[in-house]
Amino acid sequence: MDIERPSNVTLFDFVGGLQLLRNGNIRTAVPVILIGVCIAGALCNLLVLLVFIRDFRKGRGSEVKALLASVACTDLLILLLCAPVRAVTYYKQIWTLGSFVCRTADWLQHSCIVAKTLLLAATTRSKHTFMEIGGGDDFQSASWIHGALVFIWLVAMLFSLPQLLFASLVPYSLDEVVCVSEMSVCASEFMLLFYKIYPTAVFVVPIIFTLAYHTKTLHGAVNNAPNPRHQSKVTLVLLCLSGALGLMLLPEWGTFTWIRLGFNRPPVGLLIFADVLFYTCSAVFPVLLMTMYDDVRQGLVFLWFIVTCRPRKHPPTTACTMCVKLDGNSAEACANEVGAQAKDKTFPDVEHFWTGRRNTHVEDEHDPVPWERDEKMLQSGEQVIQSDLKNECP
């Protein structure tokens, strides 16, 4: 992984993944892990986005859901655009993706990292309650969400500009090139100060602020919130997401700052672990939402009923029809509806049986003149026999 550093360069680091490792195990294992994480994470994030889109269309959107949907979109960008570049680089062990990808690979990845952290920090100002369509507090009137998204992405792309400016291709052999970040001596003093401020401003401070705010909010949600149960659950989800983000991105930011501040290069194993953990974070986020967030979990149950009922060629059963037509998200309500219908329904044969039983005349055991009843039965029996004989005789 060593390459000769030019004399007029103070920083020399690989861009787009580690190169020149010449290790067969890494060449095989790391790309397979990254591809598996990409596929699983992309599917989970798409499911979460489908649930949020359905909630918005049903009038059950909220500011928190809008920001979490933006986080899911950011994770999709990371998994679909950034992770494949790393997988190809680890497999080829040289740079084969051209100059444009070399310049934009780390810039796009850092833009997504910063945007994701700031989006979670923005949830501290968002409301947890649903906003019905047509109400006075319509979700569409919360214009600060659109302004916050534009501001966050502008800040993220501007702070990540050095990753774009200093990236370039460097020849390694006659037919091989590597993608590296070269920082000249004239810019070293300013960039040394910048790389001290950059991780602190876009990672350390937002994560600490978000964790502290959600911890305080969770502590007081039970007694002070208008809907304490719902708000405390949502706050717990946001707290877990922020904690997971801080822990899983700590190796990535640690190794990045370590190299940029001029210390010795971290071990190769730590750099690979930081890369894999960073992409795993984008796959873990939707899993946390699907397991902890009630609205997302119930929306997935509804989508499952739609998928299992619609493809049938025969007319759908009552249970499927009811589950698809339910306006709410609760699968329990669907089960209750189906159970009530099955309870009230009487099968035809059983209905005739019980009708006959209800119409049967029960004789009184304490009849004071039972012989009269017997005589009537004998007379009716004789009349039936005589009528049968008349019908049989010509």
Side-chain angles (χ1 to χ4, degrees):
M1 195 178 67
D2 294 332
I3 187 172
E4 185 179 355
R5 175 186 298 184
S7 59
N8 61 340
V9 172
T10 59
L11 173 66
F12 195 81
D13 186 34
F14 290 105
V15 173
L18 295 178
Q19 300 157 55
L20 306 179
L21 293 176
R22 308 302 184 188
N23 189 311
N25 295 329
I26 295 177
R27 179 178 182 178
T28 304
V30 177
V32 171
I33 294 174
L34 292 180
I35 292 173
V37 170
C38 288
I39 296 174
L43 291 177
C44 292
N45 280 289
L46 285 174
L47 288 176
V48 170
L49 283 176
L50 288 176
V51 172
F52 284 147
I53 291 172
R54 177 181 173 274
D55 287 346
F56 288 134
R57 295 182 62 182
K58 293 291 183 180
R60 295 176 58 84
S62 66
E63 296 174 359
V64 169
K65 290 183 179 180
L67 293 174
L68 291 179
S70 301
V71 173
C73 292
T74 305
D75 285 333
L76 276 178
L77 288 177
I78 293 173
L79 293 172
L80 297 180
L81 297 181
C82 301
V85 174
R86 288 291 197 281
V88 172
T89 302
Y90 276 109
Y91 179 74
K92 294 293 186 179
Q93 298 188 357
I94 57 171
W95 190 259
T96 59
L97 299 176
S99 176
F100 177 77
V101 179
C102 174
R103 287 186 173 275
T104 57
D106 274 18
W107 171 75
L108 177 60
Q109 178 166 301
H110 272 262
S111 298
C112 294
I113 296 174
V114 177
K116 187 174 178 179
T117 306
L118 296 181
L119 285 171
L120 283 179
T123 58
T124 58
R125 188 186 181 278
S126 59
K127 297 179 181 179
H128 302 183
T129 54
F130 296 141
M131 296 185 178
E132 300 292 343
I133 297 177
D137 294 330
D138 192 352
F139 171 72
Q140 295 178 356
S141 65
S143 58
W144 77 270
I145 290 287
H146 305 90
L149 293 177
V150 173
F151 175 77
I152 286 172
W153 277 101
L154 284 177
V155 170
M157 290 187 290
L158 289 175
F159 266 102
S160 305
L161 271 180
Q163 316 308 318
L164 176 66
L165 298 176
F166 296 134
S168 61
L169 291 176
V170 175
Y172 176 70
S173 63
L174 294 178
D175 56 348
E176 294 181 343
V177 294
V178 292
C179 183
V180 298
S181 178
E182 294 181 329
M183 186 173 63
S184 59
V185 176
C186 60
S188 60
E189 294 183 1
F190 172 78
M191 294 308 301
L192 184 63
L193 177 62
F194 174 80
Y195 284 127
K196 291 179 180 178
I197 298 175
Y198 175 52
T200 305
V202 300
F203 176 70
V204 178
V205 173
I207 288 295
I208 293 177
F209 170 74
T210 306
L211 290 174
Y213 180 86
H214 289 313
T215 302
K216 181 181 178 181
T217 304
L218 183 63
H219 184 267
V222 176
N223 298 323
N224 302 326
N227 189 358
R229 184 177 181 182
H230 175 74
Q231 182 168 340
S232 59
K233 285 185 176 181
V234 177
T235 305
L236 179 61
V237 172
L238 296 175
L239 180 63
C240 293
L241 291 177
S242 303
L245 180 70
L247 290 176
M248 301 186 78
L249 293 189
L250 186 60
E252 176 70 20
W253 280 109
T255 54
F256 175 83
T257 308
W258 188 341
I259 296 173
R260 263 61 183 179
L261 293 183
F263 298 104
N264 294 329
R265 183 178 296 276
V268 175
L270 180 59
L271 294 173
I272 297 175
F273 173 75
D275 275 346
V276 174
L277 194 63
F278 167 71
Y279 296 112
T280 305
C281 179
S282 297
V284 169
F285 257 55
V287 175
L288 291 176
L289 286 175
M290 289 187 291
T291 54
M292 298 185 63
Y293 200 177
D294 290 341
D295 293 343
V296 175
R297 186 169 62 251
Q298 293 168 1
L300 290 175
V301 173
F302 185 86
L303 292 177
W304 171 254
F305 277 116
I306 293 178
V307 171
T308 54
C309 292
R310 282 188 174 179
R312 299 179 180 178
K313 297 181 180 179
H314 301 289
T317 60
T318 305
C320 294
T321 306
M322 292 180 63
C323 294
V324 173
K325 291 184 178 180
L326 278 178
D327 293 333
N329 291 332
S330 177
E332 183 178 358
C334 175
N336 293 336
E337 292 277 349
V338 177
Q341 182 178 0
K343 183 177 180 181
D344 295 337
K345 183 177 179 180
T346 305
F347 295 97
D349 297 338
V350 179
E351 183 177 4
H352 290 303
F353 172 77
W354 284 110
T355 302
R357 295 290 295 176
R358 286 195 297 268
N359 295 334
T360 302
H361 178 66
V362 179
E363 301 295 343
D364 188 4
E365 296 180 358
H366 303 283
D367 190 356
V369 285
W371 56 85
E372 295 182 356
R373 182 185 61 194
D374 296 339
E375 291 178 357
K376 292 179 179 179
M377 294 178 63
L378 291 173
Q379 292 177 358
S380 61
E382 291 177 356
Q383 292 176 358
V384 170
I385 294 173
Q386 292 177 1
S387 62
D388 292 340
L389 293 174
K390 290 179 179 179
N391 293 331
E392 292 179 1
C393 296

